[in-house]
Amino acid sequence: AQTVTQSQPEMSVQEAETVTLSCTYDTSESDYYLFWYKQPPSRQMILVIRQEAYKQQNATENRFSVNFQKAAKSFSLKISDSQLGDAAMYFCAYRSAGGLNTGTASKLTFGTGTRLQVTL
Amino acid sequence: NAGVTQTPKFQVLKTGQSMTLQCAQDMNHEYMSWYRQDPGMGLRLIHYSVGAGITDQGEVPNGYNVSRSTTEDFPLRLLSAAPSQTSVYFCASSYSLTSAISYEQYFGPGTRLTVT
């Protein structure tokens, strides 16, 4: 079974600064997807960024980028120019590519989350 | 599109009571699932469905039942509520794997359930 580990329960960053959230995962599969979700106080789960394991290029979405190290099974999220609205819980998640098993492929395995605080 | 909707937003139950959490999506997604979120534990999969009439257990299925009679709806039933089921419940959906954009899951707004 896959596991996802987020070792930083809480992080703090000053507005306009850069912060990196860590995520490691364990899998025996070679094809999979990785995600970062943001959960603000509203509780809504919002997809921030995704990475396909077969792509060597790190994904980027505006101020959000990832450092995907497949051999090390590491998937960190970098937030640049942090804004007050970035304050939230951030979850790293893993999803198998699945092949013929659509049920297995559709399941998300989440880490325990990192609470990000943004200060003035 | 309304996306994924969940009702109710909040619910308080007494131990032993039963209830159904509703989930609906209007995106014609084949895959639907239920997660529970507990402090310090992230989201854990309860049950999932890959299409109408097909359901399967996730990581923490005990005490919950599901059914999928239509593509749109995926209700979660608590048969006899226990304090250990106090949690926030999320429903999610996505396209099937035959779609190139199948890997994104869309989440509902969640239901906060308290069992006393």
Side-chain angles (χ1 to χ4, degrees), chain A residues 92-108:
Chain A
C92 179
Y94 171 102
R95 180 174 177 170
S96 170
L100 295 176
N101 189 335
T102 59
T104 299
S106 301
K107 291 186 280 190
L108 283 171

Side-chain angles (χ1 to χ4, degrees), chain B:
Chain B
N1 284 355
V4 181
T5 58
Q6 290 183 236
T7 55
K9 285 189 169 51
F10 301 93
Q11 183 71 49
V12 179
L13 291 178
K14 293 188 187 309
T15 296
Q17 287 184 317
S18 62
M19 79 158 295
T20 299
L21 306 185
Q22 301 291 344
C23 174
Q25 52 88 13
D26 60 358
M27 298 174 281
N28 202 30
H29 285 171
E30 292 187 8
Y31 178 81
M32 296 185 73
S33 56
W34 278 100
Y35 294 87
R36 61 176 286 173
Q37 182 180 21
D38 301 297
M41 300 190 74
L43 280 76
R44 292 180 294 168
L45 183 65
I46 304 172
H47 285 286
Y48 66 94
S49 169
V50 298
I54 306 169
T55 63
D56 205 348
Q57 296 181 351
E59 183 184 353
V60 287
N62 292 341
Y64 307 95
N65 273 359
V66 292
S67 60
R68 183 96 179 268
S69 56
T70 67
T71 299
E72 295 77 20
D73 301 298
F74 190 45
L76 178 72
R77 297 183 186 84
L78 281 71
L79 305 174
S80 178
S84 61
Q85 293 178 306
T86 294
S87 188
V88 178
Y89 291 84
F90 288 95
C91 180
S93 73
S94 68
Y95 290 102
S96 74
L97 292 183
T98 57
S99 167
I101 54 171
S102 64
Y103 44 79
E104 178 165 358
Q105 292 207 18
Y106 297 80
F107 283 82
T111 295
R112 181 177 293 279
L113 175 69
T114 302
V115 183
T116 60

Side-chain angles (χ1 to χ4, degrees), chain A residues 4-70:
Chain A
V4 177
T5 302
Q6 293 179 252
S7 59
Q8 306 155 315
E10 292 187 7
M11 293 282 285
S12 183
V13 63
Q14 280 192 322
E15 200 178 17
E17 296 296 308
T18 295
V19 65
T20 299
L21 307 184
S22 300
C23 173
T24 59
Y25 58 94
D26 188 27
T27 184
S28 59
E29 298 173 328
S30 59
D31 198 13
Y32 48 87
Y33 306 109
L34 296 165
F35 306 86
W36 279 98
Y37 279 89
K38 172 185 178 181
Q39 187 180 43
S42 68
R43 227 169 46 204
Q44 182 69 49
M45 294 291 286
I46 301 165
L47 179 64
V48 174
I49 198 166
R50 59 177 163 252
Q51 174 80 43
E52 293 89 341
Y54 63 85
K55 290 186 178 178
Q56 291 189 336
Q57 187 173 9
N58 289 326
T60 299
E61 288 286 343
N62 300 315
R63 297 183 295 107
F64 299 87
S65 61
V66 298
N67 184 3
F68 173 49
Q69 303 287 330
K70 190 172 184 180

